[in-house]
Amino acid sequence: MHRWWDKYGWQTTLTILALFVAWLLKQTQATAIAETYYFLVSPFQSQRQLQLENKLTNARILQLEQRLNELEQQNKQFQELLGYAAQQELSITAPIIGRSAGIWWNQITLGKGRNDGVEKGFIVSGIGGVIGRIIQVTPHTSRVLLISDPNSRVGAVVTRTRHPGFIQGQNSQAVVMRFFTQVADVRVGDTITTSSLSYLYPAGLPIGKVKSVNVDKGPAPEAEIELNVPLALLEWVVIKPFTPKVEVK
Amino acid sequence: MLEINFRQMPLRWLRILNIAIVFGSVGLCSMLLFLRLPGMELIGTNPNWLLIWVVVWSIKRNVWQGAIAGTSLGLIYDALTNPQPSHVLSLVLVGILTASLRKQRYAQEDFITVALIVFVMVIVTETIMALQFSILFANSLENIRQHYQHRILASAIISSIWAPVVHYPLNSWWENLRKIEKLKTRLK
């Protein structure tokens, strides 16, 4: 026994240690790695953050923001008139600090986490529309499953005709929308939003525009949707609180 | 100069340093997966750093060591992406294949051979992943082939280009360590 230990003890201990650490990382969904990564990149991030914030407050956005303010004010007055109790919504602005690992996933890592109030299931959007939802949170980072991921399915609706369907990611800027009904009145250029049937997303968020329609596809027609938000160029996102209607794994 | 310093260190310390280097390099590789720097990206794919690490590790080790490294890094990869389908199977196979490749006389452990092994291994792993995907989600293989054909090739190219970055420092460290270990055990 003693001789065996002399010969293989060191190796065995290391093997067990390596497997244990790997298992631990798996169980914690690599929280340690994500956190270390955050602290390593955050000094570089802060510089970019300032530049980006400058970029974000350009004239066009200011104009749109003012219009939005105006509309929100009006909306508020109408809601008051109707006796509608609006809940105060907070939104968290977060930088993208990491892209997806490997070719099979379309995920991004954000530089805001539990400490900033981010929780699993929250909705992430860029300028132009929804881009995904939070699937994992660590104290300083959070991971987003993009709607362009093939594993992501979002209930969607054609705004003009209210035809329901769901969109599935294709690992690119374009996603596929599959309809539930046989004959769907869809045209190129129609806008697509999340539907009220969606469990994981709130209804009415803009997603994209119809690029092409494939009527021959069985059992139901398919449409190619061009996402509003340029996912590859995105550097900054907004997180909105949302409680999914189903338990998220 | 550095080597002489290492030679004077007791073997125990060297081994502890080795563990730190092993764990540290794996940690670094996992963090590099998130990073997209210019030159590190080819049609939206970045190098498969964990696979490169497994290849570099297994190239001069036995099959078991390769398999264990594959399991550990596969688990880490799962933690960084989605656990389904698992990366463990493909990375274990990479470890085993690379370790058994050594016995044949093809691999002379220069940059080009390592790059070549990485290239082949990326194609092997991604093919396994594609098969796992098609079984899990009942997607047609044709559908998957269309989407991933060019990305698999891009991943293989970019991984093999960046492989020496992991291979050179780790390999020279382990080479030195082996030399020193041999020297010390002979002195005993």
Side-chain angles (χ1 to χ4, degrees):
Chain A
M1 185 63 198
H2 191 258
R3 280 181 86 183
W4 180 89
W5 181 253
D6 271 355
K7 209 169 173 190
Y8 299 112
W10 187 253
Q11 274 184 20
T12 318
T13 319
L14 280 185
T15 306
I16 292 166
L17 185 70
L19 288 175
F20 177 71
V21 170
W23 175 80
L24 206 70
L25 282 171
K26 170 100 194 291
Q27 289 304 317
T28 56
Q29 295 215 297
T31 303
I33 293 175
E35 285 291 290
T36 321
Y37 178 77
Y38 169 79
F39 284 109
L40 285 178
V41 295
S42 53
F44 305 98
Q45 207 64 42
S46 56
Q47 206 65 23
R48 271 174 63 199
Q49 206 157 312
L50 282 175
Q51 292 169 1
L52 273 165
E53 272 182 334
N54 277 336
K55 235 191 249 172
L56 275 176
T57 48
N58 63 30
R60 172 77 180 147
I61 290 165
L62 269 178
Q63 182 203 341
L64 288 173
E65 267 179 355
Q66 281 163 5
R67 239 191 101 196
L68 188 71
N69 265 337
E70 172 63 31
L71 290 172
E72 266 179 354
Q73 281 301 321
Q74 277 185 19
N75 196 8
K76 215 173 165 186
Q77 284 171 8
F78 288 141
Q79 281 175 356
E80 269 167 17
L81 282 173
L82 290 168
Y84 180 87
Q87 68 268 42
Q88 202 65 40
E89 272 200 352
L90 87 154
S91 66
I92 307 152
T93 322
I96 297 176
I97 60 166
R99 297 275 169 180
S100 42
I103 65 169
W104 296 98
W105 318 102
N106 256 348
Q107 299 172 342
I108 51 173
T109 309
L110 305 179
K112 291 271 172 81
R114 200 177 295 119
N115 290 357
D116 305 286
V118 182
E119 270 171 52
K120 226 180 193 176
F122 280 15
I123 300 303
V124 183
S125 45
I127 298 170
V130 65
I131 61 163
R133 63 186 172 83
I134 306 276
I135 52 165
Q136 193 226 330
V137 197
T138 75
H140 292 98
T141 71
S142 45
R143 208 187 294 161
V144 181
L145 182 72
L146 297 178
I147 50 173
S148 60
D149 190 292
N151 294 304
S152 158
R153 272 157 208 215
V154 187
V157 70
V158 182
T159 44
R160 187 171 54 86
T161 55
R162 314 310 296 171
H163 275 300
F166 69 91
I167 61 163
Q168 193 176 3
Q170 292 216 300
N171 260 326
S172 67
Q173 186 62 32
V175 295
V176 158
M177 180 163 178
R178 299 203 167 88
F179 292 97
F180 296 138
T181 44
Q182 193 86 51
V183 241
D185 179 12
V186 197
R187 267 185 252 145
V188 173
D190 278 349
T191 48
I192 306 294
T193 58
T194 52
S195 85
S196 51
L197 296 171
S198 175
Y199 288 123
L200 300 172
Y201 289 85
L205 295 175
I207 296 173
K209 269 189 182 155
V210 176
K211 208 167 121 194
S212 64
V213 186
N214 183 357
V215 195
D216 305 327
K217 190 90 178 181
E222 255 183 30
E224 204 183 356
I225 315 293
E226 176 85 24
L227 295 175
N228 283 339
V229 188
L231 288 176
L233 305 172
L234 215 59
E235 288 181 316
W236 204 268
V237 295
V238 177
I239 309 169
K240 288 253 169 71
F242 179 70
T243 322
K245 289 167 207 158
V246 285
E247 188 76 25
V248 190
K249 266 195 290 179
Chain B
M1 197 62 191
L2 212 61
E3 206 177 309
I4 295 162
N5 278 337
F6 280 137
R7 278 196 180 150
Q8 282 162 353
M9 278 167 91
L11 204 56
R12 187 162 288 267
W13 283 108
L14 277 177
R15 278 176 174 164
I16 288 167
L17 185 63
N18 186 36
I19 296 169
I21 285 176
V22 167
F23 279 81
S25 59
V26 171
L28 208 65
C29 281
S30 357
M31 278 182 259
L32 277 172
L33 280 178
F34 292 122
L35 208 61
R36 296 286 163 96
L37 292 178
M40 224 188 248
E41 207 178 354
L42 193 67
I43 17 177
T45 31
N46 59 338
N48 193 338
W49 294 103
L50 291 180
L51 180 135
I52 297 174
W53 198 95
V54 173
V55 169
V56 170
W57 166 269
S58 314
I59 218 159
K60 283 184 191 169
R61 284 183 175 77
N62 64 38
V63 174
W64 279 106
Q65 286 167 316
I68 285 158
T71 316
S72 307
L73 269 72
L75 286 172
I76 293 172
Y77 212 147
D78 282 353
L80 293 172
T81 55
N82 268 20
Q84 267 183 330
S86 174
H87 292 80
V88 174
L89 180 68
S90 51
L91 283 182
V92 165
L93 204 73
V94 166
I96 291 172
L97 282 180
T98 315
S100 40
L101 214 71
R102 177 186 57 122
K103 269 118 199 163
Q104 294 149 20
R105 285 275 155 170
Y106 306 126
Q108 287 173 347
E109 289 111 23
D110 53 19
F111 289 138
I112 295 156
T113 343
V114 171
L116 212 67
I117 295 172
V118 168
F119 188 90
V120 175
M121 290 305 162
V122 171
I123 291 181
V124 169
T125 48
E126 301 304 1
T127 312
I128 293 171
M129 286 296 283
L131 286 173
Q132 280 176 296
F133 257 103
S134 57
I135 293 164
L136 244 150
F137 299 112
N139 273 337
S140 70
L141 212 59
E142 181 62 23
N143 218 352
I144 285 173
R145 196 183 63 87
Q146 272 179 359
H147 285 155
Y148 292 104
Q149 209 168 33
H150 65 290
R151 299 198 76 171
I152 286 173
L153 212 59
S155 178
I157 291 167
I158 198 85
S159 297
S160 55
I161 287 171
W162 282 90
V165 174
V166 183
H167 177 254
Y168 182 73
L170 282 181
N171 189 49
S172 45
W173 160 253
W174 284 328
E175 203 96 296
N176 275 333
L177 191 70
R178 269 187 211 115
K179 265 188 218 157
I180 298 165
E181 269 182 346
K182 221 175 251 175
L183 213 75
K184 297 236 172 179
T185 41
R186 209 178 290 159
L187 283 178
K188 267 181 193 170

